[in-house]
Amino acid sequence: MKRLAPLSSLASRPTAAGSFWLLAVVALLATAINYGNNLVFALAFLLLAVWLQAAWNGWRNLAGLHWQASAPMPVFANEPLRIEGRLTDRHGRPRSQLLLIAGPVASASSPLAADGEATLAVALPTGRRGPLNVSNLTLVSTYPLGLWRSQRRLPPVDALVYPAAEGDAALPVAIPRPAHRSAAADDFQGLRAYTPGDPPRRINWRVWGRREELLVNQFDGNRGGDALWLDWAHCPGAGDARLAQLARWVLDAERAGCDYGLRLPDAAGPTVAPTRGRAHRDACLRRLALFDLAH
Protein backbone atom coordinates (compact mmCIF):
# COMPACT_ATOMS: atom_id res chain seq x y z
CA MET A 1 0.00 0.00 0.00
CA LYS A 2 1.34 3.41 -0.94
CA ARG A 3 1.48 6.09 1.69
CA LEU A 4 0.66 9.69 1.10
CA ALA A 5 3.51 12.11 0.60
CA PRO A 6 5.36 13.25 3.75
CA LEU A 7 3.54 15.60 6.11
CA SER A 8 5.69 18.49 4.94
CA SER A 9 3.83 18.34 1.61
CA LEU A 10 0.50 18.98 3.33
CA ALA A 11 -0.32 22.62 2.75
CA SER A 12 -3.15 24.91 3.80
CA ARG A 13 -4.21 28.33 2.58
CA PRO A 14 -7.24 30.53 3.25
CA THR A 15 -10.15 30.29 0.86
CA ALA A 16 -11.94 33.41 -0.41
CA ALA A 17 -14.33 33.10 2.53
CA GLY A 18 -11.37 32.73 4.89
CA SER A 19 -9.71 35.85 3.49
CA PHE A 20 -12.88 37.90 3.99
CA TRP A 21 -13.15 36.48 7.51
CA LEU A 22 -9.65 37.72 8.31
CA LEU A 23 -10.42 41.14 6.81
CA ALA A 24 -13.46 41.33 9.06
CA VAL A 25 -11.22 40.56 12.08
CA VAL A 26 -8.81 43.35 11.05
CA ALA A 27 -11.72 45.78 10.60
CA LEU A 28 -13.10 44.88 14.04
CA LEU A 29 -9.68 45.36 15.64
CA ALA A 30 -9.30 48.78 14.00
CA THR A 31 -12.77 49.75 15.24
CA ALA A 32 -12.02 48.50 18.75
CA ILE A 33 -8.73 50.44 18.89
CA ASN A 34 -10.36 53.57 17.51
CA TYR A 35 -13.24 53.54 19.99
CA GLY A 36 -11.64 51.64 22.88
CA ASN A 37 -14.52 49.16 22.91
CA ASN A 38 -13.70 45.97 24.83
CA LEU A 39 -16.70 44.07 23.47
CA VAL A 40 -15.52 44.64 19.92
CA PHE A 41 -12.04 43.54 21.00
CA ALA A 42 -13.53 40.33 22.41
CA LEU A 43 -15.52 39.67 19.23
CA ALA A 44 -12.44 40.27 17.04
CA PHE A 45 -10.27 37.85 19.04
CA LEU A 46 -13.07 35.28 19.13
CA LEU A 47 -13.35 35.36 15.33
CA LEU A 48 -9.55 35.18 15.03
CA ALA A 49 -9.48 32.12 17.30
CA VAL A 50 -12.16 30.43 15.17
CA TRP A 51 -10.14 31.22 12.04
CA LEU A 52 -6.95 29.72 13.47
CA GLN A 53 -8.78 26.68 14.89
CA ALA A 54 -10.32 26.02 11.48
CA ALA A 55 -6.81 25.98 9.99
CA TRP A 56 -5.64 23.42 12.55
CA ASN A 57 -8.71 21.20 12.13
CA GLY A 58 -8.40 21.31 8.34
CA TRP A 59 -4.74 20.27 8.46
CA ARG A 60 -5.52 17.51 10.96
CA ASN A 61 -8.39 16.28 8.74
CA LEU A 62 -5.86 15.16 6.10
CA ALA A 63 -2.93 14.16 8.31
CA GLY A 64 -2.19 10.47 8.78
CA LEU A 65 -4.29 9.12 5.92
CA HIS A 66 -3.13 6.31 3.64
CA TRP A 67 -3.84 6.22 -0.09
CA GLN A 68 -3.88 3.24 -2.45
CA ALA A 69 -4.64 3.89 -6.12
CA SER A 70 -6.22 1.22 -8.31
CA ALA A 71 -4.73 0.52 -11.73
CA PRO A 72 -7.05 2.36 -14.16
CA MET A 73 -8.70 0.35 -16.91
CA PRO A 74 -7.60 1.39 -20.43
CA VAL A 75 -10.17 3.41 -22.37
CA PHE A 76 -10.56 4.51 -25.97
CA ALA A 77 -9.60 8.05 -26.97
CA ASN A 78 -12.31 10.63 -26.17
CA GLU A 79 -13.82 8.37 -23.50
CA PRO A 80 -13.58 9.35 -19.79
CA LEU A 81 -10.76 7.71 -17.84
CA ARG A 82 -11.74 6.69 -14.31
CA ILE A 83 -9.07 7.26 -11.66
CA GLU A 84 -9.98 5.58 -8.40
CA GLY A 85 -8.31 4.99 -5.08
CA ARG A 86 -8.96 4.03 -1.49
CA LEU A 87 -8.33 6.21 1.57
CA THR A 88 -7.73 4.51 4.90
CA ASP A 89 -7.69 6.03 8.39
CA ARG A 90 -5.55 4.32 11.03
CA HIS A 91 -5.66 6.93 13.76
CA GLY A 92 -9.22 6.51 14.96
CA ARG A 93 -10.39 9.92 13.78
CA PRO A 94 -13.40 10.46 11.51
CA ARG A 95 -12.70 12.67 8.49
CA SER A 96 -15.07 14.91 6.55
CA GLN A 97 -15.42 16.67 3.20
CA LEU A 98 -12.66 14.77 1.37
CA LEU A 99 -12.24 15.47 -2.33
CA LEU A 100 -10.03 13.92 -5.01
CA ILE A 101 -9.08 16.54 -7.61
CA ALA A 102 -7.25 16.17 -10.93
CA GLY A 103 -6.91 19.55 -12.62
CA PRO A 104 -10.40 21.01 -13.12
CA VAL A 105 -12.15 17.71 -12.30
CA ALA A 106 -13.21 16.87 -8.75
CA SER A 107 -14.86 13.87 -7.11
CA ALA A 108 -17.94 14.04 -4.94
CA SER A 109 -17.29 14.99 -1.33
CA SER A 110 -16.89 11.92 0.87
CA PRO A 111 -16.63 11.36 4.63
CA LEU A 112 -14.38 8.76 6.23
CA ALA A 113 -15.31 6.96 9.42
CA ALA A 114 -12.78 6.42 12.18
CA ASP A 115 -10.57 3.40 11.34
CA GLY A 116 -12.55 3.06 8.10
CA GLU A 117 -12.10 3.28 4.35
CA ALA A 118 -13.52 5.48 1.62
CA THR A 119 -13.27 5.27 -2.16
CA LEU A 120 -12.69 8.44 -4.17
CA ALA A 121 -12.84 8.58 -7.97
CA VAL A 122 -12.67 11.13 -10.77
CA ALA A 123 -13.44 10.76 -14.47
CA LEU A 124 -10.88 12.55 -16.63
CA PRO A 125 -11.41 13.48 -20.29
CA THR A 126 -8.99 11.87 -22.75
CA GLY A 127 -7.77 13.10 -26.09
CA ARG A 128 -4.97 11.37 -27.96
CA ARG A 129 -4.07 7.70 -27.71
CA GLY A 130 -1.00 6.46 -25.90
CA PRO A 131 0.34 6.29 -22.34
CA LEU A 132 -1.08 8.86 -19.96
CA ASN A 133 0.59 9.94 -16.74
CA VAL A 134 -1.87 11.60 -14.35
CA SER A 135 0.47 13.60 -12.14
CA ASN A 136 -1.86 16.30 -10.79
CA LEU A 137 -3.86 14.20 -8.33
CA THR A 138 -4.55 16.10 -5.11
CA LEU A 139 -6.46 15.27 -1.95
CA VAL A 140 -8.35 18.37 -0.82
CA SER A 141 -10.57 19.33 2.10
CA THR A 142 -12.21 22.61 3.18
CA TYR A 143 -13.36 21.14 6.49
CA PRO A 144 -14.70 22.43 8.88
CA LEU A 145 -16.08 25.85 7.89
CA GLY A 146 -14.76 26.37 4.38
CA LEU A 147 -12.31 29.00 5.63
CA TRP A 148 -9.16 27.03 4.76
CA ARG A 149 -8.26 24.76 1.86
CA SER A 150 -5.98 21.94 2.99
CA GLN A 151 -4.39 19.78 0.30
CA ARG A 152 -1.67 17.26 -0.32
CA ARG A 153 -0.29 15.84 -3.54
CA LEU A 154 -0.81 12.17 -4.35
CA PRO A 155 1.55 9.88 -6.29
CA PRO A 156 1.05 9.95 -10.08
CA VAL A 157 -0.97 7.23 -11.81
CA ASP A 158 -0.11 5.69 -15.19
CA ALA A 159 -2.89 4.80 -17.63
CA LEU A 160 -3.26 3.78 -21.26
CA VAL A 161 -5.55 5.26 -23.90
CA TYR A 162 -6.43 3.09 -26.91
CA PRO A 163 -7.02 4.66 -30.33
CA ALA A 164 -10.62 5.68 -30.92
CA ALA A 165 -12.32 2.74 -32.66
CA GLU A 166 -13.48 4.55 -35.80
CA GLY A 167 -13.62 3.94 -39.52
CA ASP A 168 -16.09 2.96 -42.23
CA ALA A 169 -14.12 0.16 -43.91
CA ALA A 170 -15.74 -3.25 -43.54
CA LEU A 171 -13.91 -6.05 -41.79
CA PRO A 172 -12.09 -8.04 -44.52
CA VAL A 173 -13.64 -11.36 -43.47
CA ALA A 174 -13.98 -12.48 -47.10
CA ILE A 175 -10.23 -13.03 -47.43
CA PRO A 176 -9.06 -15.02 -44.37
CA ARG A 177 -5.62 -16.52 -44.76
CA PRO A 178 -4.24 -19.85 -43.49
CA ALA A 179 -2.24 -19.26 -40.34
CA HIS A 180 -1.26 -21.19 -37.26
CA ARG A 181 -3.36 -20.16 -34.32
CA SER A 182 -1.69 -19.62 -30.99
CA ALA A 183 -3.53 -22.66 -29.55
CA ALA A 184 -1.53 -25.67 -28.47
CA ALA A 185 -1.37 -28.86 -30.55
CA ASP A 186 -4.55 -30.95 -30.54
CA ASP A 187 -6.52 -28.06 -29.08
CA PHE A 188 -10.24 -28.89 -28.96
CA GLN A 189 -12.11 -26.87 -31.59
CA GLY A 190 -15.69 -28.17 -31.28
CA LEU A 191 -18.01 -30.93 -32.51
CA ARG A 192 -19.15 -32.03 -35.96
CA ALA A 193 -21.44 -34.77 -37.29
CA TYR A 194 -19.97 -38.25 -37.62
CA THR A 195 -19.03 -39.42 -41.13
CA PRO A 196 -18.01 -42.99 -42.09
CA GLY A 197 -14.28 -43.43 -41.68
CA ASP A 198 -13.89 -41.24 -38.57
CA PRO A 199 -11.84 -43.07 -35.90
CA PRO A 200 -14.01 -44.36 -33.05
CA ARG A 201 -11.77 -42.70 -30.47
CA ARG A 202 -12.86 -39.31 -31.80
CA ILE A 203 -16.57 -40.02 -31.18
CA ASN A 204 -17.96 -38.05 -28.25
CA TRP A 205 -19.63 -40.89 -26.32
CA ARG A 206 -20.88 -38.55 -23.65
CA VAL A 207 -23.08 -36.77 -26.17
CA TRP A 208 -24.18 -40.17 -27.54
CA GLY A 209 -25.28 -41.23 -24.05
CA ARG A 210 -27.37 -38.10 -23.58
CA ARG A 211 -28.87 -37.57 -27.03
CA GLU A 212 -28.07 -40.74 -28.98
CA GLU A 213 -26.42 -38.56 -31.61
CA LEU A 214 -23.07 -39.42 -33.14
CA LEU A 215 -20.80 -36.40 -32.99
CA VAL A 216 -17.05 -36.29 -33.47
CA ASN A 217 -14.55 -34.16 -31.53
CA GLN A 218 -12.56 -31.79 -33.73
CA PHE A 219 -8.99 -30.85 -32.84
CA ASP A 220 -6.71 -28.25 -34.33
CA GLY A 221 -3.78 -30.67 -34.35
CA ASN A 222 -1.42 -27.63 -34.65
CA ARG A 223 -2.21 -27.53 -38.35
CA GLY A 224 -3.65 -24.06 -38.11
CA GLY A 225 -6.64 -22.89 -40.06
CA ASP A 226 -8.22 -19.83 -41.59
CA ALA A 227 -7.39 -16.74 -39.58
CA LEU A 228 -7.97 -13.10 -40.33
CA TRP A 229 -4.91 -10.86 -40.55
CA LEU A 230 -5.49 -7.21 -39.69
CA ASP A 231 -2.65 -5.71 -41.67
CA TRP A 232 -1.33 -2.15 -41.47
CA ALA A 233 -0.30 -2.33 -45.13
CA HIS A 234 -3.84 -3.19 -46.30
CA CYS A 235 -5.74 -0.82 -44.04
CA PRO A 236 -7.20 2.39 -45.54
CA GLY A 237 -6.36 5.79 -44.11
CA ALA A 238 -3.17 7.32 -42.80
CA GLY A 239 -1.62 8.02 -39.41
CA ASP A 240 -4.00 7.98 -36.48
CA ALA A 241 -6.97 7.44 -38.80
CA ARG A 242 -5.44 4.12 -39.89
CA LEU A 243 -4.84 3.11 -36.27
CA ALA A 244 -8.46 3.99 -35.49
CA GLN A 245 -9.63 1.77 -38.36
CA LEU A 246 -7.47 -1.12 -37.13
CA ALA A 247 -8.90 -0.69 -33.63
CA ARG A 248 -12.38 -0.83 -35.15
CA TRP A 249 -11.44 -4.05 -36.97
CA VAL A 250 -10.08 -5.60 -33.77
CA LEU A 251 -13.41 -5.03 -32.02
CA ASP A 252 -15.40 -6.23 -35.04
CA ALA A 253 -13.31 -9.41 -35.41
CA GLU A 254 -13.62 -10.20 -31.71
CA ARG A 255 -17.37 -9.63 -31.84
CA ALA A 256 -17.65 -11.90 -34.90
CA GLY A 257 -15.77 -14.71 -33.12
CA CYS A 258 -12.94 -14.80 -35.68
CA ASP A 259 -9.36 -15.83 -35.06
CA TYR A 260 -7.38 -12.73 -36.00
CA GLY A 261 -3.82 -11.49 -35.87
CA LEU A 262 -2.28 -8.04 -36.12
CA ARG A 263 0.52 -7.01 -38.49
CA LEU A 264 2.24 -3.65 -38.08
CA PRO A 265 5.39 -2.37 -39.80
CA ASP A 266 8.49 -4.42 -38.93
CA ALA A 267 10.02 -1.64 -36.86
CA ALA A 268 6.99 -1.72 -34.54
CA GLY A 269 7.88 -5.20 -33.30
CA PRO A 270 6.71 -8.74 -34.00
CA THR A 271 3.24 -9.51 -35.23
CA VAL A 272 0.51 -10.59 -32.82
CA ALA A 273 -0.29 -14.23 -33.65
CA PRO A 274 -3.89 -15.08 -34.50
CA THR A 275 -6.28 -16.16 -31.76
CA ARG A 276 -9.22 -14.54 -30.02
CA GLY A 277 -10.40 -13.61 -26.55
CA ARG A 278 -10.32 -10.63 -24.21
CA ALA A 279 -6.59 -10.88 -23.48
CA HIS A 280 -5.80 -11.08 -27.20
CA ARG A 281 -8.06 -8.13 -27.96
CA ASP A 282 -6.35 -6.03 -25.28
CA ALA A 283 -2.89 -7.04 -26.53
CA CYS A 284 -3.76 -5.84 -30.05
CA LEU A 285 -5.26 -2.58 -28.80
CA ARG A 286 -2.21 -1.98 -26.60
CA ARG A 287 0.10 -2.39 -29.60
CA LEU A 288 -1.99 0.13 -31.52
CA ALA A 289 -2.02 2.56 -28.58
CA LEU A 290 1.79 2.48 -28.29
CA PHE A 291 2.52 2.45 -32.02
CA ASP A 292 5.03 5.11 -33.10
CA LEU A 293 3.89 6.73 -36.33
CA ALA A 294 7.48 7.70 -37.06
CA HIS A 295 8.16 4.09 -38.11
Side-chain angles (χ1 to χ4, degrees), residues 47-72:
L47 293 179
L48 180 60
V50 170
W51 188 76
L52 294 173
Q53 185 65 31
W56 163 247
N57 286 340
W59 184 90
R60 191 167 178 265
N61 192 48
L62 295 187
L65 290 174
H66 292 75
W67 166 259
Q68 184 180 24
S70 303

Side-chain angles (χ1 to χ4, degrees), residues 86-184:
R86 189 172 71 247
L87 278 175
T88 306
D89 169 71
R90 294 183 177 177
H91 294 269
R93 297 197 306 267
R95 318 299 177 105
S96 302
Q97 300 176 21
L98 301 173
L99 296 171
L100 179 63
I101 293 180
V105 183
S107 68
S109 178
S110 176
L112 177 61
D115 296 321
E117 295 182 351
T119 299
L120 299 179
V122 292
L124 304 179
T126 58
R128 296 180 61 84
R129 65 178 176 88
L132 179 63
N133 180 262
V134 183
S135 59
N136 57 351
L137 286 175
T138 308
L139 183 64
V140 175
S141 177
T142 56
Y143 176 82
L145 299 175
L147 302 180
W148 288 82
R149 175 188 171 96
S150 301
Q151 63 183 38
R152 61 191 311 175
R153 298 298 297 270
L154 301 178
V157 173
D158 292 319
L160 184 65
V161 179
Y162 294 149
E166 299 172 346
D168 299 326
L171 186 66
V173 291
I175 50 170
R177 304 178 184 180
H180 285 291
R181 302 183 180 99
S182 59

Side-chain angles (χ1 to χ4, degrees), residues 17-33 39-52 147-148:
S19 298
F20 281 116
W21 187 287
L22 184 60
L23 286 176
V25 170
V26 172
L28 286 173
L29 285 175
T31 301
I33 292 172
L39 288 177
V40 178
F41 267 120
L43 178 60
F45 285 122
L46 175 63
L47 293 179
L48 180 60
V50 170
W51 188 76
L52 294 173
L147 302 180
W148 288 82

